[in-house]
C-alpha cells in the first residue's frame, strides 16, 4: 500500500525566512498523484497543489514552490519569505492510479511563523 | 464557486448513541469520500462511494459505520453506537472521477464536522 512520510513534525521560523517542508512517499504504482494540503487553525483542508507522476517539472506559485524528484521519491514544498499567515499544518498526500479512491496522507508538519 | 458543505459543524453525543453526519457534495460529482482526523493526528481515509455502493473502505471502517446517499444531493456517514475514540473531525470529499483513465481524482473537501463523544 502507498505510504507518505513527513519526517518534520514541527518547524518554527521567523517571518521572511524561507522554509522547506519535506515529503517522501512509497508506492508500487508507476502512475500516481501527489498533493499538498494546508490546514489552518480553523481546521479546513485547503488544496494547494496536485502533481502526477509523469510530470516532474517543478512548479512555482507566488511564494510557494514544489520540487518533485522521482529518483528520491520526494515531493518537497518550499515557502519563500514566510509570513505569519502561513502558520498551519501542511499535509502531503498520495493517490495511486489503480487505487485512486484511497488518498493517503502523511502525518503533517506544523509550521509556525513568528513575527 | 461550487463547494462541499457539511452539517453540523460540531456534534456532541453520548457514548453509545447513533450519529449521522451529513454532506452535500458538489452537484456534478460522482465519487464521494469520508475521512477522519483525530485531534492532532493525520487525516485518515475511511470510505469511498460510487454508483450507490462502497467502492473501497479502510480497516477503520468497521461494522459500526455505514454510508448512504439517500437522495440526489446528500451523502451521509452513520456511526451506530459511538465510542469515545470516535471523537474526531470528519471530512467529506467529492470528485468528478475516480479510478481508471488519466483522470486526476482531485478531491474537494468540505469544512468538516467535529464529533465529540462524551
Amino acid at each position: 500500500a502507498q505510504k507518505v512520510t513527513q519526517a518534520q513534525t514541527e518547524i518554527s521560523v521567523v517571518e521572511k525566512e524561507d522554509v522547506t517542508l519535506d515529503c517522501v512517499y512509497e508506492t508500487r504504482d508507476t502512475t500516481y498523484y501527489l498533493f499538498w494540503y494546508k490546514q489552518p487553525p480553523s481546521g479546513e483542508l485547503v488544496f494547494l497543489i496536485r502533481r502526477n507522476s509523469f510530470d516532474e517539472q517543478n512548479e512555482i506559485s507566488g511564494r510557494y514552490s514544489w520540487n518533485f524528484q522521482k529518483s528520491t521519491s520526494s515531493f518537497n514544498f518550499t515557502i519563500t519569505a514566510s509570513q505569519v499567515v502561513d502558520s498551519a499544518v501542511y499535509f502531503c498526500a498520495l493517490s495511486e492510479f489503480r487505487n485512486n479512491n484511497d488518498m493517503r496522507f502523511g502525518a503533517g508538519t506544523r509550521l509556525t511563523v513568528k513575527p | 464557486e461550487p463547494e462541499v458543505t457539511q452539517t453540523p459543524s460540531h456534534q456532541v453525543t453520548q457514548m453509545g448513541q447513533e450519529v449521522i453526519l451529513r454532506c452535500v457534495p458538489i452537484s456534478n460529482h460522482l465519487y464521494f469520500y469520508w475521512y477522519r482526523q483525530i485531534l492532532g493526528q493525520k487525516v485518515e481515509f475511511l470510505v469511498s462511494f460510487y454508483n450507490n455502493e462502497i467502492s473501497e473502505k479502510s480497516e477503520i471502517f468497521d461494522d459500526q459505520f455505514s454510508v448512504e446517499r439517500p437522495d440526489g444531493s446528500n451523502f451521509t456517514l452513520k456511526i451506530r453506537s459511538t465510542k469515545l475514540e470516535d471523537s474526531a473531525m470528519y471530512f467529506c470529499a467529492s470528485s468528478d472521477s475516480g479510478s481508471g483513465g488519466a483522470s486526476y481524482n482531485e478531491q474537494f473537501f468540505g469544512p468538516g464536522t467535529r464529533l465529540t463523544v462524551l
Side-chain angles (χ1 to χ4, degrees):
Chain A
Q2 69 268 47
K3 182 181 174 183
V4 177
T5 302
Q6 294 179 257
Q8 303 151 308
T9 306
E10 294 193 33
I11 299 176
S12 181
V13 299
V14 177
E15 209 170 17
K16 297 184 184 176
E17 285 185 19
D18 298 347
V19 58
T20 296
L21 309 181
D22 297 334
C23 174
V24 175
Y25 62 90
E26 294 176 30
T27 177
R28 294 179 182 175
D29 222 340
T30 55
T31 304
Y32 49 89
Y33 309 101
L34 294 162
F35 305 81
W36 275 95
Y37 286 86
K38 175 182 179 180
Q39 187 175 45
S42 49
E44 73 273 23
L45 287 170
V46 178
F47 170 81
L48 295 178
I49 191 172
R50 169 193 66 241
R51 174 69 68 212
N52 76 56
S53 53
F54 294 112
D55 184 2
E56 282 194 79
Q57 190 172 9
N58 291 328
E59 180 154 341
I60 298 174
S61 176
R63 296 185 296 107
Y64 295 170
S65 62
W66 290 270
N67 184 349
F68 176 29
Q69 292 197 353
K70 288 178 76 170
S71 60
T72 55
S73 297
S74 65
F75 185 44
N76 296 338
F77 173 32
T78 297
I79 302 175
T80 304
S82 59
Q83 299 175 2
V84 173
V85 293
D86 296 326
S87 296
V89 180
Y90 290 86
F91 291 98
C92 180
L94 168 69
S95 179
E96 293 176 331
F97 172 77
R98 57 183 173 176
N99 187 27
N100 68 359
N101 291 320
D102 178 357
M103 183 185 293
R104 295 294 173 116
F105 285 77
T109 297
R110 180 176 299 279
L111 174 65
T112 302
V113 182
K114 299 177 181 176
Chain B
E1 186 174 330
E3 58 183 17
V4 177
T5 59
Q6 291 185 242
T7 54
S9 57
H10 190 188
Q11 173 95 42
V12 181
T13 189
Q14 295 287 330
M15 191 170 58
Q17 294 295 305
E18 174 183 287
V19 295
I20 298 176
L21 310 182
R22 291 184 166 78
C23 168
V24 179
I26 293 173
S27 62
N28 62 339
H29 283 186
L30 302 176
Y31 293 81
F32 315 111
Y33 314 84
W34 283 102
Y35 292 81
R36 178 184 82 176
Q37 185 184 29
I38 295 171
L39 185 63
Q41 299 187 24
K42 67 178 177 182
V43 178
E44 300 172 293
F45 170 78
L46 289 178
V47 66
S48 60
F49 189 87
Y50 169 72
N51 199 26
N52 282 321
E53 60 182 26
I54 291 173
S55 51
E56 186 161 359
K57 60 182 180 179
S58 72
E59 59 276 7
I60 302 169
F61 193 86
D62 59 24
D63 292 343
Q64 69 160 344
F65 291 97
S66 63
V67 290
E68 193 178 31
R69 188 153 163 83
D71 53 42
S73 59
N74 290 284
F75 178 53
T76 62
L77 174 69
K78 181 192 291 186
I79 310 175
R80 286 191 186 81
S81 177
T82 51
K83 305 175 193 147
L84 295 176
E85 54 266 35
D86 293 327
S87 294
M89 180 78 93
Y90 288 82
F91 290 101
C92 173
S94 70
S95 66
D96 61 1
S97 57
S99 57
S103 57
Y104 273 135
N105 186 36
E106 178 173 347
Q107 298 182 18
F108 294 81
F109 284 82
T113 292
R114 181 166 298 284
L115 175 66
T116 301
V117 182
L118 302 176

